[in-house]
Every structure is written in C-alpha cells, then in structure tokens.
Amino acid sequence: MKRTFVLTAAMVFCGFSAWAESHAADAKTAETAEAVTMEQEVDLEAAEKIFRKSCRACHGNKAQGASSYPSLSDKEPAYIVEKLERYRAGEKFGPNSVLMIQHAKKLSDSDIVSLSVYVTTAFD
Amino acid sequence: MKRVNFLSALPVVASLLAGTAMVTSPALAQNGMNTTMLQSEVVLDGLDNPWDMAFLDDGTMLFTEKCKGLSVRMPDGTVNALYGVGATEGYASNGADLFCEGQAGMMGVAFDPDFANNRRIYVYSTSNMSTPHTNRLMRFTVNEDFTAVADRTDIVDDVPYKMAASNHPFGGPGAHNGGRVRFGPDGALWLTTGDTHNGMVPQSPTMMGSKVLRLDTDGNAHPDNAPPEGFDKRTYTYGHRNVQGIAFHPETGQAITAEHGPWHSDEITILRNGGNAGWDPRPNMAGRGDCPDNYCGYSPNQEEGMNRYERAAFMPMTDFDTYPDAMPPIWNNNGWSQGTSSAAFLSGEAWGDWDGAMVVGIMGIGFGGTPIGQRIDVIHFNDDNTDVEDVTEMTLPMEPGRFRSVVMGPDGGLYTAIDEGTIYKLTPGN
C-alpha cells in the first residue's frame, strides 16, 4: 500500500506539471509557488477513523449530507479546512455550531487537513 | 502511517487522491455474529433523504424524499415521480407552496385502507401557503396507472413550523415537525407532530405541535378523542417533544410512539387517550429559570456534553413532578438520546421469535460522550403487552445508517430508509 501512495504522489506532481505548463509563464510561476506553500502531508487512514467516529453519523456514510447536515463530499478541501478551523476556534456560525465546535476542538492542524482531503475525495 | 502529499490548489489532485482513498480504504467488515440471519437488499438508492414509505398488498410502494417529493415504486420496479416539492423538476405535478428547510420538508405518507375503492393517499409536508408557514397533511387521489395525483385537499393545515433560527443546538429553521402518518387498526388516521423549539407548544391546548392527532380522513377529530377540556379535539395525546415513530400493537391495537429525547432519554410510550407525555420546556417552570430563546429543551448546558441523568433531572423528557399523571415511557434508551425516529411491528413466522416484536429505527447522533448508536432495536414486550421485557439490537447485514423509517412490507420484509439515500429491504434468512 505504501508503494501505491508513493506512486500516487508522483502522479500528483506529474499531473500538476502538465497542468501548469499549459498556462502562461507568469501564471505558472504564481501557481507553482502557491502549490508549494500549500503542500502538506495527509493521513487518510487517520482521517477515515475520525470521519467514522465523529462525522459519519450526521453527514452521512459517504459525506453526502443527510437531514439538516450539509454535504461535505461536494466541497473543496480548502473550504472544509476553513470551516473546521473556525469551529475549532469556537466561532458560532450556522445552526449546528455547538455540535461542530465540540468535535472540531479535538482536531490538530494535520487532522483538519487530512479530514478535508478525505471527505472531499474518498467517496467520488 | 500512510501519507500522501496534499496540493489543495489543484482539482486534479483531488481526483487522483480520490482514487487513492478508494483503494486504500479497508473493506467495511460486516458486523459480528448472526449476520447470516438477516439478508439485505437495496430497493432504491441515490435518493434525497427518503423519509417514509407506504405499501399496497401487491408491493406498490409510495415513498417521500424530503426536498424532492412523492414518488411510487411499482411492483415491477419502475418509479413514477408524482408530486414535487416546490419547483423540483421531473414530477407529474408540483406543490408550489411546498418547501424544505432543515428538518422540514415532505415527510410521512400513507395509503387509505380503502384505497382500492377511493384511490386516496395522505402526505405530510411543510408549506408556505400561509405565514407563519405550517406543516400540512394533504389528501390526494392517485390515477389508475399510478402516474399522477390529483384532488389535493389539505385536511390539516395548522401544524406549527419553526420560522426562524434560534440559539439552540440544531437551532435552524424547520426543527421538530414530527411527521409520521399512519392508519391505525381502528381505521382512524394518525399524525405525529413536534415542538418546533417553542416552549409554549407542548402543553398548549390549541397549538397542534407536540401532539398525536387522531382524525378522520377529512381531518376532523375522531369522535372518541378525549383530551382535557379546552383542548383541540383532534388531540389524542399531547406534551410530546418530537414524535417521528408510531406503530400499533398487533394484539392490543394500542398506539405506541417512539420519540427523540433532548440529549437524553429517547422514549417509547404506550399512548393513553387524552394523555400527557409530560414534556414542558417552558422557562421558569419546574424550578428552571430563563433559557435561551425561551426554550429549555437543551438546558442546563446546551454547549457541551454532560451527564445524561443530570440533564434528565433538570429538564425531564417526562416530568412526573409537574404532571403526576403523565404517560410513563416503557423504554428510555438507557438514558441516551440517539435519534430514535421510527417504529413498526414485525409480522410473519419467518421472523421466528421476533414475530410480533416492535422494531425501532435509530439515526445516531454522537455528541458529548453519547455513543452514536445507529441501529435498529427489536423491542420485546411482556406477556401483558404493558412493558418492555427485552431489547435486542438487530445485527445488520449491511453498514448502518441514519434509520429514518422502518415499515413492514406486504412480502414480510422490513423496509428501512436511511437519510443517506437508500431504502433497504431486510429479510430473515438462513
């Protein structure tokens, strides 16, 4: 499995390079810099455990949303990160803030990043 | 530890990682022993919050989707979209006034017991036809080939709806509508409602939230209803919190509710005509002071988890101190609140020892130390059918979900809808 991840990571970078080369030089430089600064490791296995324990019961077994709980799978990772960081800081927004704050306050930075990738990609 | 690199700026990364996640996620193991005793079959998938189902003897199944509308699945498997919520496309006709918000939308559905002759069905949905908006119980007729409904008549148009957000958990508009629609063995039409996060509703004699209504098919009060003096005569019981489960005991015929608790004490209650379920979340009652937005339902601590028995002592689900004659629950989910939502009685010899037992669908919450608890419980009554003798958690042959609805099918299968979008059929097997 580890080999799969190494290969995937390489594909990611190849994919990025191919995508970036299709853009103008200035844009390419800017995008590359942004991408490099945002590069982080994610732990999908740990994210899955958190998801199953803390997210799945409300947001659905595929993060598709359920009842009054919104879909996560159709969002971008950056969106999830931003929301989780605000909840972790204790900010109230939206009707289920109390629930989210309680769950989010236990998360580390790396948990949040990993979760954001997991919920937005694992159920495609 | 498995790690990959995350480049959030790139859509292509997301798509590639998606493949990775799929490959590396372990196959979901089935639960432990007895899984071979039940078999599951996906009846419909990809639905939008399926809320309720109703059956004819030939297997024709009405089903509702909270934000989309009413459809029918024919015995050959074809699905006809009958009546859409708002402007939802693809339906034979639409209720322009119907809408969904939070927990509200299209909910319960029932066939008339005399459907073969009158073609009538009943659907409960949130409507903006009046302001404040309300929940309505609508009656329709269905055409011969089950492709359209007509003759909408709103036989109940005054069940409260929560218009605005409030400072409570789950505090958005649309909270606590109840929503189950069933015919009892007496031929009466029953509707369950909720408190809309309004402290005044449960004990109100006139506001039709937090009630179990017993009606005729025109929406009139059943003549034998016996609520206290001054109450709306449609009231069979009152003082509930948010009843989404009602079923009728196959031997006694008694109506039995399954109800969400307020972060403690989900309840099953054998109803008594005119009875009070004892929920009264008004501020400055029973030793309580002021509460957020005049609703004590999540007090004394609605920000964090706390001991469920302390919660129950402060804000009881059934307040016997204030209402000594309140209907006693026969089950309180071991003091937990886990989203108890629906109820039915198993029927058929194939169910073995469970034949005649009650099943309760539990959606799961998981907050403040409460176990999530997504499951279907099998509730065994005592010989007198007056109390719970034993509770068995159904060992499921599929992954659990938010079990919104459990309904017995005419084929002896137990149909269950989960909010995630699937209707399953569970059958006892070898």
Side-chain angles (χ1 to χ4, degrees):
Chain A
M1 284 302 178
K2 276 188 176 178
R3 185 172 296 172
T4 302
F5 281 110
V6 172
L7 182 61
T8 303
M11 289 170 63
V12 168
F13 285 111
C14 291
F16 171 72
S17 298
W19 176 85
E21 284 168 9
S22 68
H23 291 66
D26 288 348
K28 177 180 174 182
T29 303
E31 294 285 356
T32 303
E34 181 184 357
V36 168
T37 57
M38 295 185 71
E39 180 179 336
Q40 296 195 41
E41 288 187 320
V42 298
D43 184 343
L44 296 179
E45 194 174 76
E48 182 182 4
K49 287 181 180 175
I50 296 170
F51 174 79
R52 295 184 68 80
K53 181 179 179 183
S54 299
C55 313
R56 178 187 171 283
C58 294
H59 289 283
N61 52 7
K62 297 176 183 174
Q64 70 273 59
S67 186
S68 57
Y69 308 108
S71 170
L72 307 176
S73 59
D74 61 351
K75 305 296 190 301
E76 293 297 324
Y79 175 95
I80 303 295
V81 168
E82 189 249 344
K83 295 290 186 290
L84 284 175
E85 287 180 341
R86 290 170 64 189
Y87 282 128
R88 185 175 60 179
E91 183 180 347
K92 286 187 177 180
F93 59 98
N96 297 320
S97 294
V98 170
L99 305 176
M100 287 304 304
I101 289 167
Q102 290 300 311
H103 287 294
K105 70 182 184 183
K106 306 169 188 170
L107 301 176
S108 67
D109 287 348
S110 61
D111 288 340
I112 287 177
V113 172
S114 297
L115 261 180
S116 73
V117 175
Y118 180 78
V119 300
T120 55
T121 60
F123 309 106
D124 289 351
Chain B
M1 183 177 291
K2 297 174 180 176
R3 293 185 181 279
V4 297
N5 288 319
F6 167 42
L7 302 172
S8 66
L10 302 175
V12 66
V13 175
S15 61
L16 288 165
L17 289 178
T20 305
M22 292 290 283
V23 169
T24 55
S25 296
L28 297 172
Q30 288 195 334
N31 293 328
M33 57 188 298
N34 294 331
T35 49
T36 56
M37 296 301 290
L38 283 177
Q39 297 173 344
S40 74
E41 171 188 340
V42 173
V43 178
L44 290 170
D45 200 8
L47 304 178
D48 173 38
N49 287 283
W51 213 99
D52 199 14
M53 299 84 78
F55 290 90
L56 293 177
D57 287 344
D58 67 356
T60 300
M61 179 181 79
L62 291 171
F63 64 95
T64 57
E65 295 171 88
K66 188 184 70 173
C67 291
K68 292 184 70 176
L70 170 72
S71 300
V72 61
R73 180 183 185 273
M74 303 304 294
D76 66 3
T78 60
V79 172
N80 301 328
L82 298 175
Y83 196 72
V85 170
T88 307
E89 295 180 352
Y91 286 78
S93 60
N94 288 68
D97 61 310
L98 306 186
F99 70 100
C100 71
E101 173 69 50
Q103 300 169 15
M106 188 173 280
M107 294 170 272
V109 62
F111 276 108
D112 193 294
D114 196 28
F115 178 82
N117 294 315
N118 63 25
R119 307 293 296 181
R120 286 178 168 179
I121 63 170
Y122 304 82
V123 185
Y124 181 66
S125 181
T126 310
S127 162
N128 62 20
M129 191 180 294
S130 57
T131 300
H133 307 334
T134 62
N135 291 297
R136 292 171 176 247
L137 181 56
M138 304 172 289
R139 188 183 70 206
F140 296 91
T141 56
V142 184
N143 66 0
E144 286 298 321
D145 59 1
F146 289 90
T147 56
V149 296
D151 306 319
R152 172 177 162 180
T153 304
D154 293 6
I155 62 173
V156 177
D157 62 4
D158 59 347
V159 178
Y161 166 79
K162 182 184 179 186
M163 291 289 287
S166 60
N167 179 20
H168 302 107
F170 318 101
H176 293 190
N177 309 280
R180 205 64 63 181
V181 181
R182 292 288 182 267
F183 276 88
D186 56 356
L189 177 58
W190 299 67
L191 171 67
T192 70
T193 67
D195 71 9
T196 66
H197 283 169
N198 182 337
M200 300 298 292
V201 164
Q203 298 295 323
S204 167
T206 55
M207 289 189 281
M208 297 313 289
S210 293
K211 308 292 188 292
V212 174
L213 286 66
R214 185 169 64 162
L215 311 163
D216 68 16
T217 54
D218 292 322
N220 301 310
H222 190 285
D224 295 336
N225 287 352
E229 188 174 350
F231 270 66
D232 189 307
K233 291 293 186 184
R234 294 173 295 176
T235 303
Y236 187 78
T237 55
Y238 65 102
H240 294 279
R241 181 175 180 273
N242 189 22
V243 183
Q244 292 195 358
I246 187 167
F248 301 87
H249 195 284
E251 293 182 19
T252 68
Q254 289 175 297
I256 302 172
T257 52
E259 187 170 358
H260 292 260
W263 280 359
H264 63 82
S265 309
D266 290 333
E267 289 186 346
I268 293 174
T269 305
I270 300 174
L271 301 187
R272 183 181 70 237
N273 192 357
N276 184 356
W279 174 246
D280 189 357
R282 283 177 289 184
N284 302 301
M285 282 288 299
R288 294 180 295 273
D290 292 336
C291 294
D293 287 338
N294 295 317
Y295 179 79
C296 299
Y298 300 97
S299 295
N301 181 354
Q302 64 176 30
E303 302 289 323
E304 298 175 326
M306 66 177 284
N307 182 283
R308 60 195 189 279
Y309 298 110
E310 292 179 24
R311 280 194 186 279
F314 184 87
M315 181 61 250
M317 182 71 165
T318 304
D319 184 353
F320 290 109
D321 290 338
T322 307
Y323 306 105
D325 294 331
M327 299 178 292
I330 59 171
W331 174 88
N332 73 350
N333 196 15
N334 196 28
W336 299 116
S337 172
Q338 297 173 308
T340 295
S341 178
S342 54
F345 279 89
L346 296 174
S347 178
E349 293 182 359
W351 290 98
D353 290 343
W354 290 358
D355 183 14
M358 188 179 188
V359 286
V360 174
I362 298 171
M363 298 185 292
I365 295 178
F367 171 78
T370 300
I372 294 172
Q374 291 181 324
R375 65 190 189 276
I376 298 173
D377 271 351
V378 182
I379 312 291
H380 305 269
F381 284 72
N382 62 3
D383 290 341
D384 296 334
N385 297 312
T386 55
D387 206 348
V388 171
E389 185 170 83
D390 195 16
V391 178
T392 306
E393 180 179 342
M394 193 175 270
T395 304
L396 297 168
M398 75 293 195
E399 190 177 20
R402 295 178 51 81
F403 291 107
R404 178 70 62 178
S405 183
V406 287
V407 181
M408 274 303 297
D411 54 2
L414 177 69
Y415 289 73
T416 181
I418 61 173
D419 284 347
E420 290 89 335
T422 308
I423 297 176
Y424 292 99
K425 174 184 171 183
L426 292 169
T427 49
N430 298 316

